[in-house]
Amino acid sequence: MTLHENKPIILAGMMGTGKSHIGKLLAERLSLPFYDSDKVIEERGGLTIPEIFELYGEARFRESETKTIIELLGQGACVIATGGGALTNDAVLEAVKAQSHSIWLHADLETLMERLSQSKNRPLLQNDNPKAILEDLLEKRESLYAQMDIAINTGAGNADAVLNEIVDKLGNLK
Ligand code: S3P
């Protein structure tokens, strides 16, 4: 696969679509460095994402997320997994569109619920009705994710099939 320019590859999409898992495997497959924006934020701040939400609130988290992703976009060729809400910030959306090969990972709601039902580290879902929250977030965000260069369903095939599809579609990008 030969990609034009020295652009990073961005993975965007809802919580539970496999951005971190697939991102790591994709980076290995392409021999590129891998960054997970949530992990970078946690390591730098010495706090977990739930702790950041609890101590400082979502708005402060979004500020760190924006700064971190814009900085990572300057790293040249690499793979970056973003948090599910990253594109809700206009600056991130525009930078991702202008500076990266962008991939939207998606899966149906039932699959997301199965993958997320035990998760304690998604502060937005620590609620009586996480499914309704997820549905609402997806409705608000779908038009943002749809602006990515490539869309891939991670709900059907195994990781290998997903990787093959990504590599294939990246190869067809102009
Ligand atoms: C969020 C998704 C999380 C994390 C934070 C907020 C969101 O990342 O950034 O809990 O707003 O959808 P993942 O998509 O990796 O779970």
Side-chain angles (χ1 to χ4, degrees):
M1 185 191 72
T2 325
L3 283 176
H4 302 265
E5 308 161 64
N6 218 14
K7 280 184 179 180
I9 297 167
I10 281 269
L11 299 181
M14 289 290 285
M15 300 174 247
T17 51
K19 301 179 297 287
S20 303
H21 181 57
I22 296 293
K24 197 161 176 284
L25 296 175
L26 180 65
E28 274 167 26
R29 169 90 72 103
L30 302 178
S31 302
L32 291 174
F34 173 65
Y35 302 100
D36 181 325
S37 64
D38 280 345
K39 287 255 153 50
V40 174
I41 294 166
E42 290 186 326
E43 280 163 16
R44 286 187 180 166
L47 293 169
T48 64
I49 301 294
E51 286 168 344
I52 298 172
F53 269 71
E54 196 182 325
L55 291 171
Y56 301 110
E58 182 175 350
R60 277 281 289 280
F61 168 73
R62 297 291 171 210
E63 279 173 28
S64 303
E65 183 176 48
T66 299
K67 268 194 212 138
T68 303
I69 293 173
I70 287 179
E71 187 191 317
L72 291 174
L73 282 168
Q75 296 292 309
C78 64
V79 177
I80 306 168
T82 59
L87 301 183
T88 59
N89 184 294
D90 283 348
V92 174
L93 178 65
E94 292 315 316
V96 163
K97 283 165 63 179
Q99 298 174 40
S100 74
H101 300 292
S102 56
I103 303 173
W104 170 23
L105 298 187
H106 60 91
D108 59 86
L109 213 63
E110 297 307 322
T111 305
L112 296 186
M113 277 312 294
E114 264 169 44
R115 292 179 183 166
L116 293 166
S117 59
Q118 301 306 321
S119 171
K120 291 270 173 283
N121 57 5
R122 264 63 174 223
L124 295 177
L125 301 182
Q126 303 313 305
N127 174 284
D128 287 349
N129 194 348
K131 190 172 179 195
I133 304 265
L134 214 54
E135 224 166 348
D136 183 54
L137 288 174
L138 181 58
E139 197 187 309
K140 289 188 176 123
R141 295 173 177 176
E142 201 153 16
S143 65
L144 306 172
Y145 298 140
Q147 295 177 50
M148 302 299 96
D149 298 321
I150 295 171
I152 308 269
N153 182 355
T154 65
N158 60 23
D160 240 11
V162 169
L163 280 181
N164 290 340
E165 195 183 342
I166 291 178
V167 171
D168 206 44
K169 288 191 172 169
L170 280 172
N172 288 334
L173 282 180
K174 289 275 172 309

